[in-house]
């Protein structure tokens, strides 16, 4: 068996088996890293989601948003100065729709912040027909919500008043802002000076906390590392048996009860 293994043919097969094992090893770690990322997301949610809100400027600054601060519950006072802009292809409870963005100018000055005020169902008249949404309040408003990092750009040209993803820079440009903070505010609630809450689009659901199948996939890739070597071993064994059946006799086939009955 070992002498046959060092022949050029089987050395090549052994090399392929080793390369396959290395690929499975790295794919397993890729899936495991994705699992760890979701575990860290859930830890942030446990720490921030229901915590007492802190001032927006304490978490989100022009320099950027610390990844550990995502989902921090914050509060800010200001005025809505532009909107709405719609984010296409967003689902809520399995229904297709759009998320509604407005631009909030903080009372204390500084760059504007993009606020995701909620979700609205898509129009039945086609993608270019935008649905009606409750307008943002016209005066001062105190908003409470969660700080989120923006999404990657999809590089699509969209009709006026729409964006393909919640990319903060693209949303700010669509809203006509000269500068926006490098993150957005997912709205929890709004309070007017008289203590009432203005009408708003439907709030988004609670964040997804599922870990997904990534851990199981990681273990599967790692267990698959040995498959190539096992196939090499079976291939050499089969080749040797074919060349010298007396030295490597086949295992006698067991006679099953139903085979005897058929005979």
């Amino acid at each position: 068996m070992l002498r046959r293994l060092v022949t050029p043919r089987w050395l090549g097969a052994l090399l392929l088996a080793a390369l396959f094992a290395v690929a499975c090893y790295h794919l397993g770690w890729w899936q495991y890293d994705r699992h760890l990322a979701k575990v860290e997301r859930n830890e942030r949610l446990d720490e921030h989601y229901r915590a007492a809100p802190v001032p927006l400027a304490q978490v989100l600054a022009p320099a950027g948003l610390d990844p550990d601060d995502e989902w921090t519950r914050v509060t800010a006072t200001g005025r809505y100065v532009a909107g709405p802009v719609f984010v296409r292809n967003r689902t809520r409870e399995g229904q297709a729709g759009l998320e509604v963005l407005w631009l909030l100018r903080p009372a204390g000055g500084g760059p504007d912040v993009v606020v995701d005020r909620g979700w609205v169902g898509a129009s039945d008249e086609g993608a270019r027909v935008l649905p009606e949404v409750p307008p943002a309040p016209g005066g001062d408003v105190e908003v409470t919500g969660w700080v989120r990092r923006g999404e990657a750009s999809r590089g699509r040209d969209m009709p006026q008043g729409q964006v393909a993803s919640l990319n903060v820079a693209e949303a700010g440009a669509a809203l006509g802002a000269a500068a926006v903070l490098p993150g957005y505010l997912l709205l929890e609630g709004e309070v007017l000076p008289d203590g009432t809450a203005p009408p708003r689009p439907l709030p988004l659901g609670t964040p997804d906390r599922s870990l997904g199948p990534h851990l199981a996939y990681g273990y599967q890739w790692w267990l698959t590392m040995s498959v190539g070597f096992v196939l090499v071993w079976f291939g050499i064994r089969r080749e040797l048996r074919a060349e010298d059946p007396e030295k490597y006799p086949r295992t006698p086939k067991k006679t099953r009860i139903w085979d005897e009955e058929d005979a």
Side-chain angles (χ1 to χ4, degrees), residues 88 96 98 121-131:
R88 296 216 63 86
L98 309 94
S123 171
D124 295 333
E125 301 178 34
R128 292 185 176 273
V129 179
L130 297 177

Side-chain angles (χ1 to χ4, degrees), residues 134-219:
D140 291 339
V141 61
E142 181 182 351
V143 299
T144 303
W146 299 275
V147 172
R148 298 295 316 278
R149 288 183 292 176
E151 301 171 357
S153 172
R154 296 189 179 181
R156 298 179 184 173
D157 292 329
M158 301 295 293
Q160 185 176 1
Q162 302 181 45
V163 289
S165 67
L166 218 163
N167 178 271
V168 175
E170 292 180 353
L175 287 163
V180 292
L181 290 170
Y184 71 95
L185 183 63
L186 177 60
L187 185 66
E188 179 186 17
E190 299 164 321
V191 178
L192 299 176
D194 61 4
T196 62
R200 56 167 294 190
L202 291 173
L204 300 179
T206 55
D208 177 24
R209 297 179 58 88
S210 65
L211 295 177
H214 304 297
L215 183 60
Y217 287 165
Y219 288 140

Side-chain angles (χ1 to χ4, degrees), residues 9 15 36 42 75 81 125 134 158 170 180 211 218 223 228 235 252:
R9 175 187 175 186
L15 176 61
L36 290 180
N42 286 353
T75 184
V81 294
E125 301 178 34
M158 301 295 293
E170 292 180 353
V180 292
L211 295 177
L223 291 173

Side-chain angles (χ1 to χ4, degrees), residues 20-145:
F20 178 75
V22 170
C24 290
Y25 174 81
H26 288 290
L27 287 170
W29 274 109
W30 171 61
Q31 289 289 348
Y32 188 69
D33 286 342
R34 296 184 69 185
H35 168 74
L36 290 180
K38 291 192 174 184
V39 170
E40 293 174 358
R41 175 206 62 195
N42 286 353
E43 290 175 350
R44 288 194 300 271
L45 287 171
D46 292 338
E47 181 181 358
H48 298 312
Y49 193 74
R50 295 301 181 192
V54 299
L56 174 66
Q58 182 177 320
V59 178
L60 185 59
L65 173 66
D66 189 322
D68 291 336
D69 289 333
E70 188 173 16
W71 285 110
T72 298
R73 194 163 171 243
V74 298
T75 184
T77 301
R79 291 187 171 213
Y80 288 112
V81 294
V85 161
F86 296 86
V87 190
R88 296 216 63 86
N89 300 320
R90 317 297 275 201
T91 59
R92 182 182 183 274
E93 298 179 355
Q95 295 184 347
L98 309 94
E99 290 179 30
V100 188
L101 308 180
W102 286 74
L103 194 66
L104 180 74
R105 182 156 296 162
D112 299 333
V113 59
V114 175
V115 178
D116 186 341
R117 297 190 68 233
W119 180 93
V120 64
S123 171
D124 295 333
E125 301 178 34
R128 292 185 176 273
V129 179
L130 297 177
E132 295 290 334
V133 295
D140 291 339
V141 61
E142 181 182 351
V143 299
T144 303

